PDB file of all heavy atoms in Angstrom:
ATOM      1  N   LEU A 356      73.786 -39.408 -22.314  1.00  0.00           N
ATOM      2  CA  LEU A 356      72.508 -39.953 -21.858  1.00  0.00           C
ATOM      3  C   LEU A 356      72.247 -39.689 -20.379  1.00  0.00           C
ATOM      4  O   LEU A 356      71.151 -39.263 -19.999  1.00  0.00           O
ATOM      5  CB  LEU A 356      72.456 -41.459 -22.139  1.00  0.00           C
ATOM      6  CG  LEU A 356      72.510 -41.819 -23.629  1.00  0.00           C
ATOM      7  CD1 LEU A 356      72.691 -43.318 -23.813  1.00  0.00           C
ATOM      8  CD2 LEU A 356      71.228 -41.372 -24.320  1.00  0.00           C
ATOM      9  N   LEU A 357      73.254 -39.930 -19.542  1.00  0.00           N
ATOM     10  CA  LEU A 357      73.039 -39.770 -18.099  1.00  0.00           C
ATOM     11  C   LEU A 357      72.668 -38.333 -17.718  1.00  0.00           C
ATOM     12  O   LEU A 357      71.634 -38.127 -17.067  1.00  0.00           O
ATOM     13  CB  LEU A 357      74.279 -40.220 -17.326  1.00  0.00           C
ATOM     14  CG  LEU A 357      74.268 -41.657 -16.820  1.00  0.00           C
ATOM     15  CD1 LEU A 357      75.597 -42.009 -16.161  1.00  0.00           C
ATOM     16  CD2 LEU A 357      73.120 -41.890 -15.856  1.00  0.00           C
ATOM     17  N   PRO A 358      73.457 -37.324 -18.114  1.00  0.00           N
ATOM     18  CA  PRO A 358      73.101 -35.968 -17.690  1.00  0.00           C
ATOM     19  C   PRO A 358      71.716 -35.536 -18.185  1.00  0.00           C
ATOM     20  O   PRO A 358      70.925 -34.984 -17.414  1.00  0.00           O
ATOM     21  CB  PRO A 358      74.182 -35.090 -18.346  1.00  0.00           C
ATOM     22  CG  PRO A 358      75.278 -35.998 -18.752  1.00  0.00           C
ATOM     23  CD  PRO A 358      74.716 -37.356 -18.873  1.00  0.00           C
ATOM     24  N   LEU A 359      71.429 -35.843 -19.456  1.00  0.00           N
ATOM     25  CA  LEU A 359      70.131 -35.425 -19.998  1.00  0.00           C
ATOM     26  C   LEU A 359      68.987 -36.143 -19.299  1.00  0.00           C
ATOM     27  O   LEU A 359      67.948 -35.547 -19.000  1.00  0.00           O
ATOM     28  CB  LEU A 359      70.073 -35.684 -21.506  1.00  0.00           C
ATOM     29  CG  LEU A 359      70.957 -34.784 -22.373  1.00  0.00           C
ATOM     30  CD1 LEU A 359      70.908 -35.248 -23.816  1.00  0.00           C
ATOM     31  CD2 LEU A 359      70.505 -33.325 -22.285  1.00  0.00           C
ATOM     32  N   SER A 360      69.179 -37.439 -19.016  1.00  0.00           N
ATOM     33  CA  SER A 360      68.116 -38.206 -18.351  1.00  0.00           C
ATOM     34  C   SER A 360      67.883 -37.690 -16.947  1.00  0.00           C
ATOM     35  O   SER A 360      66.739 -37.633 -16.471  1.00  0.00           O
ATOM     36  CB  SER A 360      68.489 -39.681 -18.275  1.00  0.00           C
ATOM     37  OG  SER A 360      68.730 -40.171 -19.551  1.00  0.00           O
ATOM     38  N   LEU A 361      68.975 -37.337 -16.302  1.00  0.00           N
ATOM     39  CA  LEU A 361      68.865 -36.856 -14.925  1.00  0.00           C
ATOM     40  C   LEU A 361      67.971 -35.615 -14.874  1.00  0.00           C
ATOM     41  O   LEU A 361      67.044 -35.530 -14.056  1.00  0.00           O
ATOM     42  CB  LEU A 361      70.271 -36.517 -14.413  1.00  0.00           C
ATOM     43  CG  LEU A 361      70.383 -36.380 -12.906  1.00  0.00           C
ATOM     44  CD1 LEU A 361      70.203 -37.739 -12.248  1.00  0.00           C
ATOM     45  CD2 LEU A 361      71.735 -35.779 -12.519  1.00  0.00           C
ATOM     46  N   ILE A 362      68.233 -34.659 -15.761  1.00  0.00           N
ATOM     47  CA  ILE A 362      67.425 -33.439 -15.796  1.00  0.00           C
ATOM     48  C   ILE A 362      65.967 -33.776 -16.072  1.00  0.00           C
ATOM     49  O   ILE A 362      65.044 -33.329 -15.376  1.00  0.00           O
ATOM     50  CB  ILE A 362      67.959 -32.471 -16.882  1.00  0.00           C
ATOM     51  CG1 ILE A 362      69.419 -32.112 -16.607  1.00  0.00           C
ATOM     52  CG2 ILE A 362      67.086 -31.238 -16.990  1.00  0.00           C
ATOM     53  CD1 ILE A 362      70.120 -31.415 -17.758  1.00  0.00           C
ATOM     54  N   THR A 363      65.753 -34.615 -17.094  1.00  0.00           N
ATOM     55  CA  THR A 363      64.385 -34.967 -17.480  1.00  0.00           C
ATOM     56  C   THR A 363      63.656 -35.662 -16.328  1.00  0.00           C
ATOM     57  O   THR A 363      62.492 -35.365 -16.043  1.00  0.00           O
ATOM     58  CB  THR A 363      64.416 -35.881 -18.715  1.00  0.00           C
ATOM     59  OG1 THR A 363      65.339 -35.342 -19.658  1.00  0.00           O
ATOM     60  CG2 THR A 363      63.055 -35.976 -19.366  1.00  0.00           C
ATOM     61  N   ALA A 364      64.361 -36.605 -15.687  1.00  0.00           N
ATOM     62  CA  ALA A 364      63.728 -37.368 -14.613  1.00  0.00           C
ATOM     63  C   ALA A 364      63.308 -36.450 -13.471  1.00  0.00           C
ATOM     64  O   ALA A 364      62.199 -36.585 -12.924  1.00  0.00           O
ATOM     65  CB  ALA A 364      64.691 -38.436 -14.109  1.00  0.00           C
ATOM     66  N   LEU A 365      64.186 -35.507 -13.129  1.00  0.00           N
ATOM     67  CA  LEU A 365      63.847 -34.590 -12.031  1.00  0.00           C
ATOM     68  C   LEU A 365      62.599 -33.780 -12.376  1.00  0.00           C
ATOM     69  O   LEU A 365      61.675 -33.655 -11.574  1.00  0.00           O
ATOM     70  CB  LEU A 365      65.024 -33.644 -11.764  1.00  0.00           C
ATOM     71  CG  LEU A 365      66.184 -34.274 -10.996  1.00  0.00           C
ATOM     72  CD1 LEU A 365      67.356 -33.316 -10.913  1.00  0.00           C
ATOM     73  CD2 LEU A 365      65.712 -34.675  -9.588  1.00  0.00           C
ATOM     74  N   LEU A 366      62.570 -33.253 -13.607  1.00  0.00           N
ATOM     75  CA  LEU A 366      61.418 -32.460 -14.017  1.00  0.00           C
ATOM     76  C   LEU A 366      60.136 -33.288 -14.000  1.00  0.00           C
ATOM     77  O   LEU A 366      59.072 -32.818 -13.583  1.00  0.00           O
ATOM     78  CB  LEU A 366      61.647 -31.880 -15.418  1.00  0.00           C
ATOM     79  CG  LEU A 366      62.696 -30.767 -15.485  1.00  0.00           C
ATOM     80  CD1 LEU A 366      63.010 -30.407 -16.926  1.00  0.00           C
ATOM     81  CD2 LEU A 366      62.202 -29.536 -14.721  1.00  0.00           C
ATOM     82  N   LEU A 367      60.254 -34.554 -14.423  1.00  0.00           N
ATOM     83  CA  LEU A 367      59.079 -35.424 -14.417  1.00  0.00           C
ATOM     84  C   LEU A 367      58.609 -35.676 -12.990  1.00  0.00           C
ATOM     85  O   LEU A 367      57.416 -35.601 -12.684  1.00  0.00           O
ATOM     86  CB  LEU A 367      59.409 -36.759 -15.097  1.00  0.00           C
ATOM     87  CG  LEU A 367      59.443 -36.757 -16.622  1.00  0.00           C
ATOM     88  CD1 LEU A 367      59.981 -38.083 -17.135  1.00  0.00           C
ATOM     89  CD2 LEU A 367      58.047 -36.513 -17.191  1.00  0.00           C
ATOM     90  N   ALA A 368      59.560 -35.983 -12.111  1.00  0.00           N
ATOM     91  CA  ALA A 368      59.213 -36.296 -10.723  1.00  0.00           C
ATOM     92  C   ALA A 368      58.520 -35.101 -10.067  1.00  0.00           C
ATOM     93  O   ALA A 368      57.523 -35.257  -9.355  1.00  0.00           O
ATOM     94  CB  ALA A 368      60.452 -36.700  -9.945  1.00  0.00           C
ATOM     95  N   PHE A 369      59.036 -33.905 -10.345  1.00  0.00           N
ATOM     96  CA  PHE A 369      58.415 -32.706  -9.772  1.00  0.00           C
ATOM     97  C   PHE A 369      56.986 -32.521 -10.260  1.00  0.00           C
ATOM     98  O   PHE A 369      56.158 -31.922  -9.613  1.00  0.00           O
ATOM     99  CB  PHE A 369      59.232 -31.448 -10.131  1.00  0.00           C
ATOM    100  CG  PHE A 369      60.537 -31.370  -9.399  1.00  0.00           C
ATOM    101  CD1 PHE A 369      61.667 -30.868  -9.994  1.00  0.00           C
ATOM    102  CD2 PHE A 369      60.622 -31.807  -8.071  1.00  0.00           C
ATOM    103  CE1 PHE A 369      62.872 -30.801  -9.331  1.00  0.00           C
ATOM    104  CE2 PHE A 369      61.833 -31.733  -7.389  1.00  0.00           C
ATOM    105  CZ  PHE A 369      62.966 -31.237  -8.014  1.00  0.00           C
ATOM    106  N   ALA A 402      62.336 -40.995 -18.215  1.00  0.00           N
ATOM    107  CA  ALA A 402      63.276 -40.023 -18.769  1.00  0.00           C
ATOM    108  C   ALA A 402      64.136 -40.663 -19.858  1.00  0.00           C
ATOM    109  O   ALA A 402      64.172 -40.190 -20.996  1.00  0.00           O
ATOM    110  CB  ALA A 402      64.172 -39.462 -17.668  1.00  0.00           C
ATOM    111  N   ILE A 406      64.796 -39.845 -23.762  1.00  0.00           N
ATOM    112  CA  ILE A 406      66.133 -39.368 -24.124  1.00  0.00           C
ATOM    113  C   ILE A 406      66.828 -40.360 -25.048  1.00  0.00           C
ATOM    114  O   ILE A 406      67.494 -39.982 -26.009  1.00  0.00           O
ATOM    115  CB  ILE A 406      66.974 -39.127 -22.836  1.00  0.00           C
ATOM    116  CG1 ILE A 406      66.454 -37.890 -22.094  1.00  0.00           C
ATOM    117  CG2 ILE A 406      68.452 -38.986 -23.148  1.00  0.00           C
ATOM    118  CD1 ILE A 406      66.680 -36.579 -22.824  1.00  0.00           C
ATOM    119  N   LEU A 432      57.807 -31.681 -22.402  1.00  0.00           N
ATOM    120  CA  LEU A 432      59.120 -32.155 -21.982  1.00  0.00           C
ATOM    121  C   LEU A 432      59.459 -33.464 -22.682  1.00  0.00           C
ATOM    122  O   LEU A 432      60.562 -33.652 -23.212  1.00  0.00           O
ATOM    123  CB  LEU A 432      59.120 -32.338 -20.457  1.00  0.00           C
ATOM    124  CG  LEU A 432      60.393 -32.921 -19.865  1.00  0.00           C
ATOM    125  CD1 LEU A 432      61.551 -31.949 -20.020  1.00  0.00           C
ATOM    126  CD2 LEU A 432      60.183 -33.262 -18.381  1.00  0.00           C
TER     127      LEU A 432
END
Side-chain angles (χ1 to χ4, degrees):
Chain A
L356 297 170
L357 265 176
L359 290 174
S360 303
L361 196 69
I362 301 168
T363 315
L365 283 174
L366 289 171
L367 282 172
F369 288 144
I406 289 292
L432 176 67

